[in-house]
Amino acid sequence: QLQLVESGGGLVQPGGSLRLSCAASGFTLDYYAIGWFRRAPGKEREGVSCISISDGSTYYADSVKGRFTISVDNTKNTVYLQMNSLTPEDTADYYCAAKDYYCSPNSRGYEYEYWGQGTQVTVSS
């Protein structure tokens, strides 16, 4: 059974860092793209970043570019989202999701077939 499990969320002060993990089970990541999405209270879901595992290409939303880094550890079948210089505007539930092969800046949530349960990130002093 294909499954994605996020972890690493929590409470952090503005300017702090967190690293989210997305562990895949039931399939290998080689032929998938993994995206990170977030949904803040009262807002629509937003695509944050994605990585195409086969060629390592990555994309970032403008709102996180330069602060977030997506990466993969194939030995652990896990994708990470390193989040630095966090602001209260980054507060949201974060989800990882998998789609076939490649992602692009135009990839939309409905294209992703498998989703994790989410992890909450709160940035507050």
Side-chain angles (χ1 to χ4, degrees):
Q1 183 178 359
L2 280 68
Q3 192 174 15
L4 297 171
V5 179
E6 302 96 332
S7 61
L11 173 64
V12 63
Q13 292 187 341
S17 299
L18 282 174
R19 189 178 77 160
L20 305 183
S21 300
C22 173
S25 61
F27 68 106
T28 59
L29 294 174
D30 296 9
Y31 304 107
Y32 287 85
I34 300 296
W36 283 98
F37 295 80
R38 66 186 181 186
R39 177 174 281 144
K43 294 187 177 181
E44 292 186 354
R45 184 176 61 194
E46 174 190 18
V48 174
S49 180
C50 70
I51 182 168
S52 302
I53 305 301
S54 60
D55 66 4
S57 57
T58 59
Y59 298 96
Y60 298 93
D62 288 341
S63 58
V64 306
K65 203 170 292 183
R67 300 188 297 123
F68 290 11
T69 303
I70 192 170
S71 63
V72 60
D73 185 336
N74 292 101
T75 66
K76 297 182 178 180
N77 221 33
T78 299
V79 171
Y80 302 98
L81 186 68
Q82 178 67 43
M83 307 187 298
N84 299 327
S85 303
L86 287 163
T87 74
E89 288 67 38
D90 296 313
T91 295
D93 291 325
Y94 284 72
Y95 302 85
C96 66
K99 68 181 295 293
D100 288 347
Y101 299 115
Y102 299 108
C103 62
S104 74
N106 297 319
S107 295
R108 297 293 179 260
Y110 64 81
E111 298 177 44
Y112 289 79
E113 186 173 2
Y114 306 104
W115 290 80
Q117 83 290 347
T119 186
Q120 187 175 57
V121 172
T122 303
V123 185
S124 175
S125 55

